[in-house]
Amino acid sequence: RKEVEQDPGPFNVPEGATVAFNCTYSNSASQSFFWYRQDCRKEPKLLMSVYSSGNEDGRFTAQLNRASQYISLLIRDSKLSDSATYLCVVNKGGTALIFGKGTTLSVSS
Amino acid sequence: NAGVTQTPKFQVLKTGQSMTLQCAQDMNHNSMYWYRQDPGMGLRLIYYSASEGTTDKGEVPNGYNVSRLNKREFSLRLESAAPSQTSVYFCASTRTGGIGETQYFGPGTRLLVL
């Protein structure tokens, strides 16, 4: 199993849709989990950290399932501005981070 | 605050040429990182510096050297560029390098090696 795996997409959805991204990770010792957002030809930026109990930030909800080593990101009421690549990021024991290849989202009007 | 800055933004090199990519942060962060991003690949760590005066290899260090010049600046040097080093290079920093900290990225340097 790859260290961090994501469905590359692209996910093409209309405005207002709900879309979910999944990510699996291989290192059971991983302790910190994140979703970063990367716009085309730009640097990655933190979207949200992912906590064991799950967490929500506006239209975005992140879930963590440690038993299945699985992370998800749910985006409700998609906006055109949500079009980007979403990177699943997991720490590799210690503080080193492993980045997934990213899932591309395209929201159309 | 400018955050993390990188120079140059773009560079074209011929095989065998050398160059240094510069990175600086004004957030008083202790830890700094260099990544490369290739099409269809996740970001891969080249080198990192947990604190001023220390550097360590990441996942893909071959062909690169780094210098943590001071707390603000962390440079990446290609001594003899190869086409396989064509990539987008991102510098990042974190406050202390602790688990769970946000990484702040610079805008990237796009490098083409012919």
Side-chain angles (χ1 to χ4, degrees), chain A residues 75-93:
Chain A
I75 305 176
R76 291 183 298 278
D77 188 23
S78 297
K79 312 289 185 193
L80 293 174
S81 57
D82 294 334
S83 297
T85 297
Y86 292 83
L87 307 177
C88 177
V89 184
V90 175
N91 82 301
K92 181 183 179 179

Side-chain angles (χ1 to χ4, degrees), chain A residues 2-106:
Chain A
K2 291 181 182 175
E3 290 187 287
V4 177
E5 282 199 85
Q6 297 181 247
D7 181 343
F11 284 64
N12 298 304
V13 303
E15 276 186 294
T18 295
V19 61
F21 304 140
N22 301 320
C23 169
T24 57
Y25 62 96
S26 62
N27 188 345
S28 59
S30 295
Q31 298 172 271
S32 57
F33 310 90
F34 312 88
W35 285 100
Y36 276 71
R37 170 190 170 131
Q38 186 172 24
D39 292 315
C40 187
R41 301 179 73 81
K42 298 285 189 181
E43 72 272 24
K45 292 183 180 178
L46 180 68
L47 177 67
M48 57 197 304
S49 300
V50 185
Y51 302 118
S52 297
S53 55
N55 48 300
E56 189 173 304
D57 182 2
R59 299 181 292 107
F60 299 84
T61 300
Q63 296 281 353
L64 169 64
N65 184 323
R66 285 186 184 271
S68 301
Q69 295 179 207
Y70 166 97
I71 306 161
S72 66
L73 176 68
L74 182 76
I75 305 176
R76 291 183 298 278
D77 188 23
S78 297
K79 312 289 185 193
L80 293 174
S81 57
D82 294 334
S83 297
T85 297
Y86 292 83
L87 307 177
C88 177
V89 184
V90 175
N91 82 301
K92 181 183 179 179
T95 59
L97 296 181
I98 301 296
F99 286 76
K101 295 179 183 179
T103 298
T104 300
L105 172 65
S106 178

Side-chain angles (χ1 to χ4, degrees), chain B residues 1-68:
Chain B
N1 283 355
V4 180
T5 56
Q6 293 183 234
T7 55
K9 287 188 169 54
F10 305 97
Q11 185 71 47
V12 179
L13 290 178
K14 294 181 180 178
T15 297
Q17 287 185 316
S18 62
M19 78 163 294
T20 300
L21 282 65
Q22 306 286 355
C23 173
Q25 51 86 14
D26 63 2
M27 297 176 282
N28 200 34
H29 284 178
N30 285 321
S31 301
M32 298 184 73
Y33 310 81
W34 276 106
Y35 293 91
R36 60 178 289 173
Q37 186 175 36
D38 302 299
M41 305 283 288
L43 276 82
R44 292 182 292 169
L45 183 64
I46 304 171
Y47 270 93
Y48 67 100
S49 170
S51 61
E52 188 179 353
T54 69
T55 61
D56 286 286
K57 295 179 181 179
E59 181 186 352
V60 288
N62 291 346
Y64 305 95
N65 286 300
V66 291
S67 295
R68 183 74 182 267

